[in-house]
Amino acid sequence: MTPASRELEHENEEEELNSFPRMSVGETRDVSSLKDKGVTKKLLQPSSTPSHHRTHPEAGDKVLVHYTGRLLDEAKTKFDSSVDRGEPFEFTVGVGQVIKGWDLGVMTMERGEKCLLTCKPEYAYGAAGAPPSIPPNATLEFEVELISWKSENDLFGDGGVIRVAKIEDGEGWKTPKDGDWLEIGVRASRKERETGKMSTVWEKGLADEGEEEKEGLFFQLNLKKRNGKEDADNDDASKVPFGVHLALQFFKKGETQRLLVRNEYLLEKNAPYDEDDELYFTVTLKRWVHVEKICNGLGEKTTIKEAPESNYDTPNEGAKVVFSSVKVYRGKRDFARRGRVGDQRKEEEEE
């Protein structure tokens, strides 16, 4: 199965980010795993996040919350409050660090949202309780505000580039560096706000199952903010947003990921995107060639073929060396294309 066909299995992965429909203030909803009303959520304050940019924390994310806990007795006895202490509480959600009702409830919340979670004993402290503050078989009420969270899939911690899915693992351990020339397969998709359906904006170099490998998109990795200088003879390269450049520094050869890119990470000179847009990029890193400065920055060395990893010997200054061949290329793109899988062009065709 090719990465392009595997993408079909993940076509609705972004729905996982929006799987809990947005609530209205005052609305109460059952958020228990068994739908037994063991955990109910009442919205007190909505998030200010735009509806098309909304996300929820996932299991394994570190969340920061304020909370106040009360018993459901006549006095609504307060037994704990981070608000009173003036110090938010941080924990890893979805891994059992807190009561089950919190894990379930917090993973339905958005940044800045405030809600009331009511947890029955089986989703709280059970038959034993937590003496002396919480009696046995107690139903508890928590007012919770989700301040922020950090996710391993939120690559830069601000929601601009999110790894939605890893479709294909890469090989080896090496990853591209700033200035390297890359060949990628890429498909940009947009979720239409009116229909909720995904539509392809543009694509290059991703082959469907049964198709021959396609030539990918060649461009130079740029991990610095754009200065307006673009690859003038490569219109497709200008469509690769800054967020994809940044994400590719973590890719291994052959790896395929699906990325959600938005905000300033999406904007590029000449790129056909709007300021409030967000796009999904399915990206395969086909190969790359390493470029490094030499001669005190006066020249560049482009590595077309890596030496065996077991061979660490290099010639000393003044040593005699033997070259198997020397060829002058017209420019960096010839270097980048040279040695591509399936490239059978002859030397004389490049003269």
Side-chain angles (χ1 to χ4, degrees):
M1 184 180 291
T2 65
S5 58
R6 280 191 188 91
E7 186 199 358
L8 297 177
E9 298 180 3
H10 299 273
E11 187 64 33
N12 293 315
E13 285 282 349
E14 75 282 353
E15 294 298 333
E16 295 183 6
L17 301 175
N18 303 290
S19 58
F20 193 81
R22 181 165 273 182
M23 299 173 62
S24 302
V25 174
E27 180 183 353
T28 299
R29 192 173 293 173
D30 181 2
V31 297
S32 60
S33 53
L34 299 177
K35 299 303 177 186
D36 56 3
K37 298 185 178 179
V39 187
T40 59
K41 171 186 174 182
K42 180 179 180 180
L43 184 64
L44 303 178
Q45 172 184 296
S47 169
S48 59
T49 305
S51 59
H52 57 286
H53 283 179
R54 56 193 295 260
T55 58
H56 309 286
E58 300 175 328
D61 293 350
K62 287 188 177 296
V63 299
L64 189 67
V65 302
H66 259 316
Y67 70 92
T68 298
R70 292 184 173 87
L71 302 176
L72 287 186
D73 55 13
E74 291 186 6
K76 286 287 188 82
T77 303
K78 184 191 301 184
F79 60 84
D80 192 13
S81 176
S82 68
V83 178
D84 291 349
R85 292 192 297 272
E87 183 177 338
F89 175 54
E90 184 180 67
F91 66 97
T92 302
V93 70
V95 297
Q97 287 188 358
V98 293
I99 61 173
K100 189 174 182 180
W102 267 41
D103 274 340
L104 294 171
V106 170
M107 285 194 292
T108 71
M109 298 181 69
E110 301 175 52
R111 194 185 311 271
E113 179 181 311
K114 186 182 292 185
C115 73
L116 196 66
L117 295 177
T118 303
C119 306
K120 289 185 177 181
E122 56 269 33
Y123 290 89
Y125 292 95
S133 301
I134 301 172
N137 292 311
T139 296
L140 307 178
E141 185 178 84
F142 296 92
E143 184 175 305
V144 182
E145 179 185 3
L146 179 57
I147 300 171
S148 63
W149 78 86
K150 299 176 183 177
S151 170
E152 290 185 0
N153 291 323
D154 186 352
L155 298 187
F156 307 108
D158 56 6
V161 184
I162 297 174
R163 183 191 299 114
V164 177
K166 181 180 283 190
I167 300 172
E168 182 82 11
D169 289 328
E171 59 184 67
W173 56 270
K174 293 184 178 181
T175 56
K177 293 180 171 52
D178 190 30
D180 289 353
W181 279 87
L182 278 57
E183 180 185 6
I184 67 170
V186 57
R187 175 180 291 121
S189 304
R190 177 186 288 116
K191 184 179 181 181
E192 301 298 340
R193 297 178 189 174
E194 294 78 10
T195 64
K197 302 293 185 181
M198 297 295 293
S199 62
T200 298
V201 179
W202 65 279
E203 63 180 302
K204 173 79 172 180
L206 285 182
D208 291 317
E209 190 170 7
E211 291 185 332
E212 294 184 0
E213 181 181 356
K214 298 179 180 179
E215 179 173 299
L217 173 61
F218 294 89
F219 66 100
Q220 193 168 23
L221 189 65
N222 188 339
L223 303 181
K224 303 177 181 65
K225 281 291 186 181
R226 297 303 198 186
N227 56 12
K229 182 180 179 182
E230 296 294 342
D231 200 1
D233 61 343
N234 193 343
D235 291 339
D236 283 336
S238 68
K239 298 177 186 176
V240 179
F242 186 51
V244 172
H245 278 257
L246 292 177
L248 278 164
Q249 66 182 304
F250 307 119
F251 276 54
K252 299 171 185 175
K253 182 181 178 180
E255 185 167 334
T256 301
Q257 293 186 18
R258 195 158 188 242
L259 306 169
L260 171 60
V261 183
R262 56 195 174 197
N263 304 334
E264 67 271 18
Y265 293 96
L266 186 62
L267 299 182
E268 273 297 339
K269 183 180 179 183
N270 299 326
Y273 315 128
D274 299 325
E275 185 174 356
D276 63 343
D277 211 346
E278 60 178 24
L279 268 72
Y280 294 85
F281 289 86
T282 301
V283 182
T284 297
L285 178 57
K286 293 173 176 282
R287 60 183 289 272
W288 78 90
V289 291
H290 180 54
V291 179
E292 60 182 300
K293 296 291 184 181
I294 59 174
C295 303
N296 296 321
L298 297 177
E300 288 183 343
K301 183 183 84 170
T302 301
T303 303
I304 300 173
K305 180 180 179 181
E306 295 278 358
E309 293 187 7
S310 60
N311 186 357
Y312 296 100
D313 292 335
T314 56
N316 296 321
E317 184 176 358
K320 291 184 178 180
V321 296
V322 178
F323 290 93
S324 60
S325 64
V326 176
K327 177 171 177 57
V328 176
Y329 287 84
R330 290 195 301 266
K332 294 179 181 177
R333 179 155 309 114
D334 286 331
F335 270 124
R337 292 178 184 273
R338 189 71 185 141
R340 180 175 59 82
V341 175
D343 189 352
Q344 300 297 326
R345 292 177 299 172
K346 296 180 179 180
E347 294 283 330
E348 56 265 22
E349 292 178 343
E350 294 185 341
E351 295 292 350

